[in-house]
Amino acid sequence: MLNQEQLIDNQGGVTDCSRCGEKVSAPCFYCAEHCGFYLHKVCAEAPLELHHPFHLNHPLLLMQKSPHLSGAYFCTFCHEFGDKSVYHCSSCELDFHIKCALFTLNIAENNLKELEHVALHDPLISTENGDKKLKDVSKCFGCWEPLAMYTHFSPDCGFNLHEKCAELPFKLNHVYHRKHPLVLQFNSKRLSCKICQVPRRRGFVYGCSPCKFVVHIECASQSSLQVIKNTNHEHPFTLFLRQVPFICDACGSEGNHVSYTCGTCNIIIHKNCISLPRIIKTWLYEHGSYYCSKCDVIFHVKCAMKDKDSYEIVENEDEMPHESSISVIERNDAGEATKIKHFKHMHNLMLGPFVGGYENSCNGCMLPISDPFYYCSECVFFLHKACAELTKMKNVWHHHCQEPLALISDKAFECQECWHISNAFAYECSGCEENKCLRCVIVLTPGARTCLKHVHPLYFYRDYEGQCNACGDTTRGYGAFCCKDCNFVLDLRCFSLPITARHKCDEHLLSLTDNDDNNYSESHHCDICEESRDPNRWFYHCTTCDTSAHVGCVLGSYPFLKLGSIYEETNHPHPLIIVKKKYYYLDCNKCGKPCEDVALECSKLECKYIVHWDCVAPYFLRQWWKWGM
């Protein structure tokens, strides 16, 4: 064990814990053989099996890595990324950072003395910490009220908590659920609150597991005599405490828990329906009670507003459409644009077909070129027609800022939806600076989608949890494309797989294949890595040569980086070119290992500098997951 002075002498005081990955502070343990293995005292003493009061049904087991194929996970409590040791429940497929599990255990057992080492922040001090990825950084994970309203904890665990929420009673008898007491717990099933009907991915709830009943902390603490006034109705609404079934007079759907009533008008509605907007703009084509006179279509309130990311509230009815990315130079007799100028390319673009063939990728979405598309006659630049016609600014659904995002290009980024690293076209938010690739922007626009490997239309469900037919991984609530007619599911990454791809293992194009009909078990192997292959998972295949290979082996770790483009964000004095060596693997100037897959090569031939992408790219631009097939 090291104290603070010994730690500074030993490693300059800067080293990471091998269990949680955070900076080590004294007292801590280190390996006597000086192999670089360090542990926080709390991480070293963490129990191998944790019976957590907030998850009573099963124990949480401490594992060196998450059992998922990549070894990485997102913490069920703080929803932040992790790739070190994890507390895992295999029955419920829950994952917790060590510090999140132990911090909340102290709260559950009211061991507030164990939290004395965590600094309390004064409510008058700014709660901004510069973490742009954490949407609700200024709110408490317990009650979801602003941190600045009360004294709060802000530990280095990815979440914030009011001091008062750390002292919440473990059990609660509540008038909304008289059958059983409500217990403070993780909302691991992501059930909607029975009062406000809003699901929440993080934090605590009061719940009754047998009845699948949960309420948010702030909703449970509301006065039973609550009165709500709203500008859309002339009278106030009063909370009705009897647990009886009812039909909401606003949206027409059933309710069976908390309702609000207007005694003057004799109407009863859900809490959320009190504040329904007068006008919305939506892309869902169903029938109901929002009406569009131009299209002569009607929408159920619940249908139109089921997914908060599929509509936007219209504040200004005179809203103008966003500016086009192209200017038309020539049209054919049918009025189709045959020659255009795109604001992200220096030359004019012509409408295909292109005599050079279709072996290139679209510079917008990085998927293989297919009709219709535009090409540049002066350089190697291609754009699908659909990608070229996207606007400069766009409302991108499933983005929490709900503001128009700007179209960008030639900037390396990690897509916040599919997690792929790319430097093609993307839409970027000026607020949170998140980026979404064109593939995800197009497929997440609400509506039915088609897949070449399935005969029925597919619909995207944000909170769906199930197994992907392509890779076999569990979607774990990050959204998936599902078929209403059969049990077919694709996660976001697999939905955008290139239908054809090239690899040095075969002279022909390899085609994406969804099932291996060959019953001979020894044929189920990958011709690239020579490992076994699951015949029920998608793979790439050449019928001419009978070549078969894993998806990951064909595409590599970075299939959506534009080869030949310039990357300048390094300490090297010259611009570097993104390359992918196929045959002659030069040694990396950083690690000394051969530069297979994606590398960065100096644009000046006399320099002879080459490094792996993973050796110089920032951590957030490295692919931490692997294909699950």
Side-chain angles (χ1 to χ4, degrees), residues 160-173:
N160 305 283
L161 197 67
H162 287 133
E163 184 183 20
K164 69 180 182 67
C165 293
E167 301 173 350
L168 289 168
F170 180 63
K171 286 189 177 182
L172 198 67
N173 294 314

Side-chain angles (χ1 to χ4, degrees), residues 74 81 133 411-423 433-437 619-625:
F74 281 90
F81 171 78
K133 290 187 176 181
K411 172 185 175 181
F413 65 91
E414 179 191 41
C415 176
Q416 297 301 310
E417 295 291 346
C418 66
W419 308 332
H420 277 300
I421 308 299
S422 178
N423 61 340
E433 296 187 0
E434 286 187 355
N435 295 276
K436 297 181 189 287
C437 69
Y619 177 77
F620 62 89
L621 290 180
R622 301 178 192 177
Q623 202 68 278
W624 53 265
W625 60 272

Side-chain angles (χ1 to χ4, degrees), residues 461-509:
Y461 294 88
R462 169 58 72 183
D463 297 320
Y464 181 84
E465 293 194 32
Q467 189 179 51
C468 174
N469 283 62
C471 64
D473 284 351
T474 303
T475 61
R476 291 183 56 78
Y478 299 118
F481 293 90
C482 308
C483 178
K484 293 183 178 180
D485 300 308
C486 58
N487 296 323
F488 184 83
V489 177
L490 285 181
D491 62 28
L492 255 176
R493 297 191 297 270
C494 294
F495 185 88
S496 296
L497 283 173
I499 302 303
T500 59
R502 282 195 174 276
H503 193 272
K504 66 178 182 181
C505 69
D506 198 291
E507 61 179 324
H508 308 106
L509 277 173

Side-chain angles (χ1 to χ4, degrees), residues 61 65 71 132 201 205 245 251 284 302 352 414 432 437 452 500 539 541 591:
L61 301 181
K65 288 283 186 181
K132 297 177 181 178
R201 304 182 77 172
V205 291
C251 69
L284 300 176
K302 287 293 185 181
E414 179 191 41
C432 64
C437 69
L452 293 182
T500 59
F539 62 100
H541 182 68
C591 68

